[in-house]
Amino acid sequence: MHKLVKKFLSFFFLFLFLFPTVETQFHAYEHRDDLHCNATDKHFHSQEHHCPICDYTATDSNAIADQAIGFSIPSRDFTFQLLIESVHIPDAFQDLPSRAPPIV
């Protein structure tokens, strides 16, 4: 059952992802017989075709409010002092046993 749901979900998301591309190509195919001008000089034509999908212009009705955004980066001064004197004690581990205690 779980594999069947995953299979149908994958097809659904594939359809959802590819739908805009396929719809655009179908719409372009509908306009395949329209005449298009290839002239390079400036001139005017009557409206070539009327299509509500082609004539649609998306407008942004939500203008971004002008706000001053300030970012603060916390910082801390760090001073590093080099170890000037290295201490070497050769007899530091002489009182420790040479092996670990037995595990019971």
Side-chain angles (χ1 to χ4, degrees), residues 1-98:
M1 180 67 181
H2 184 64
K3 287 185 178 183
L4 187 63
V5 171
K6 287 175 74 174
K7 180 178 164 181
F8 284 123
L9 275 177
S10 65
F11 281 120
F12 173 73
F13 286 124
L14 180 66
F15 172 76
L16 191 68
F17 179 71
L18 292 178
F19 177 75
T21 305
V22 172
E23 193 276 331
T24 303
Q25 294 305 316
F26 275 130
H27 186 75
Y29 185 72
E30 289 175 356
H31 292 294
R32 71 188 179 279
D33 295 329
D34 293 347
L35 297 174
H36 298 283
C37 180
N38 294 330
T40 57
D41 59 337
K42 290 185 179 181
H43 59 280
F44 294 104
H45 289 276
S46 61
Q47 187 175 6
E48 294 179 5
H49 70 273
H50 177 71
C51 175
I53 296 176
C54 295
D55 296 337
Y56 178 74
T57 304
T59 59
D60 185 16
S61 62
N62 297 328
I64 298 173
D66 293 332
Q67 294 180 354
I69 299 174
F71 295 101
S72 63
I73 300 173
S75 63
R76 181 180 295 170
D77 292 335
F78 179 74
T79 57
F80 179 73
Q81 297 176 353
L82 293 173
L83 183 60
I84 298 171
E85 179 183 338
S86 65
V87 179
H88 178 67
I89 304 172
D91 299 329
F93 300 107
Q94 74 179 10
D95 295 331
L96 294 177
S98 63

